[in-house]
Amino acid sequence: MYQFANLVLVASFIFSLSATCFLVWQTVTQPASRHEHRWPHVAHWVLTALITLTCIFLLYAFIACDFSLKYVQDYSSRSLAFFYRVTAFWAGQPGSLLFWAWTVALSGLVFPILPIYKQFSPTTRSWYWCCFFTIMAFFLLI
């Protein structure tokens, strides 16, 4: 089960890196009039779902006290109250970075529906998505 979660995390990294590379290529090579794309929104939803799935696996490991995972073994114990077992999710650096990636992904769902996003030019939106997917790749890499 946890190998699958690790695979999903690696797939998230590859997915965000691929989206960044494709967006940069598309933004640079196509004329500005063709920069309005719908696929970065869909890609962002997919990336958020993948990261959420990984977080669910880790949270489950903490809640179930599954000490077969070294991270759970290092930052949790059976004597901890439920609240502290859940918050142990971000107790160490790997969990904290996964939590940050998840938080950035979730907050990224809000930005495209704000009025300021709609005021951006199509080229600016493309560069926004390039930066966003680069940040996501960075968090998922480390």
Side-chain angles (χ1 to χ4, degrees), residues 40-110:
H41 299 276
V42 176
H44 179 237
W45 278 94
V46 170
L47 182 64
T48 303
L50 290 172
I51 294 171
T52 301
L53 185 62
T54 305
C55 291
I56 288 170
F57 278 119
L58 186 59
L59 279 172
Y60 172 78
F62 274 109
I63 292 169
C65 294
D66 186 354
F67 297 115
S68 65
L69 226 58
K70 177 144 176 48
Y71 186 75
V72 175
Q73 196 176 41
D74 290 344
Y75 295 103
S76 184
S77 73
R78 292 193 188 277
S79 62
L80 287 177
F82 178 77
F83 174 76
Y84 294 113
R85 279 193 310 221
V86 171
T87 57
F89 174 85
W90 57 81
Q93 185 180 11
S96 180
L97 291 171
L98 179 61
F99 181 73
W100 271 103
W102 189 37
T103 305
V104 171
L106 291 174
S107 63
L109 293 175
V110 175

Side-chain angles (χ1 to χ4, degrees), residues 2-49:
Y2 300 120
Q3 289 83 10
F4 177 71
N6 208 8
L7 184 65
V8 169
L9 197 58
V10 170
S12 302
F13 169 71
I14 293 170
F15 186 77
S16 61
L17 198 60
S18 301
T20 300
C21 294
F22 188 68
L23 265 167
V24 168
W25 173 78
Q26 211 170 28
T27 304
V28 170
T29 59
Q30 289 185 354
S33 61
R34 302 212 34 215
H35 285 181
E36 190 60 39
H37 308 290
R38 187 79 184 125
W39 73 264
H41 299 276
V42 176
H44 179 237
W45 278 94
V46 170
L47 182 64
T48 303

Side-chain angles (χ1 to χ4, degrees), residues 110-122 124-125 128:
V110 175
F111 187 66
I113 61 173
L114 295 177
I116 193 164
Y117 178 80
K118 292 172 181 47
Q119 295 173 359
F120 289 160
S121 70
T124 305
R125 288 181 195 172
Y128 160 76

